[in-house]
Amino acid sequence: MIRRKIRFLFEIFSMVTSCVVIAVALFTTVVNPVEAVKPVILWQIPCVSFLCSLGSLIHPWDRTPGKREMGIRIVVHYLLTNVIVLTSGFCFQWYRSDDLGSVAVMLVTIALIFGVVSAFSWSRDAGEAKRMNDKLREFQQKKG
């Protein structure tokens, strides 16, 4: 179980970090072009990505939750992600808190990255479940 959680965290961390790097590239070249990006961001991105990845552990591992519980957990995870990114972004000066447009861009970026990572994760999980069901069906046919 612990091995599965570590692998899951690494996968989520990799996806989040990749999406954040793409977002930073878009912002620093298209939205708000800058001459150079400070090297310290190369430490900030993985740190914040790791904290956001830890938030995914709120989902149960030992059972399948009902729709209502899963919905609540997704909302809590999303809100936790917003708190982590907005707090970190404020501390690291990624945006200006007195500029509503800057805050709105951060919120939209968080929503997009959360959506992309969730879609990839759910898609992967659905594929894995299908493979397991196919193998189980195959095993039962051989046995019967």
Side-chain angles (χ1 to χ4, degrees):
M1 177 76 85
I2 192 84
R3 200 176 203 162
R4 204 170 116 215
K5 285 182 182 182
I6 291 171
R7 192 179 92 207
F8 173 77
L9 282 175
F10 182 72
E11 289 172 358
I12 296 296
F13 170 77
S14 299
M15 287 189 278
V16 170
T17 303
S18 297
C19 288
V20 172
V21 168
I22 291 168
V24 169
L26 282 171
F27 283 111
T28 58
T29 58
V30 177
V31 177
N32 188 21
V34 294
E35 287 294 316
V37 177
K38 294 179 182 177
V40 72
I41 200 166
L42 297 174
W43 290 106
Q44 294 168 352
I45 290 172
C47 289
V48 174
S49 296
F50 178 72
L51 291 174
C52 290
S53 299
L54 288 177
S56 64
L57 292 177
I58 69 166
H59 299 288
W61 288 82
D62 55 347
R63 62 185 172 75
T64 303
K67 286 185 180 186
R68 178 182 165 94
E69 179 186 352
M70 193 62 182
I72 290 169
R73 287 179 185 271
I74 290 169
V75 169
V76 169
H77 184 194
Y78 177 70
L79 293 174
L80 180 62
T81 300
N82 273 277
V83 169
I84 291 168
V85 175
L86 289 176
T87 302
S88 300
F90 177 76
C91 292
F92 297 144
Q93 299 174 348
W94 290 350
Y95 67 95
R96 289 186 33 215
S97 60
D98 63 337
D99 179 7
L100 248 92
S102 180
V103 174
V105 168
M106 285 295 291
L107 291 171
V108 169
T109 303
I110 294 166
L112 288 172
I113 292 173
F114 188 88
V116 166
V117 171
S118 295
F120 276 119
S121 181
W122 293 333
S123 174
R124 187 202 65 236
D125 290 348
E128 187 176 320
K130 184 184 179 324
R131 279 190 299 281
M132 288 172 60
N133 286 333
D134 290 345
K135 291 287 185 188
L136 181 60
R137 193 175 308 110
E138 189 179 295
F139 174 77
Q140 288 173 342
Q141 286 174 351
K142 284 180 182 179
K143 191 177 179 183

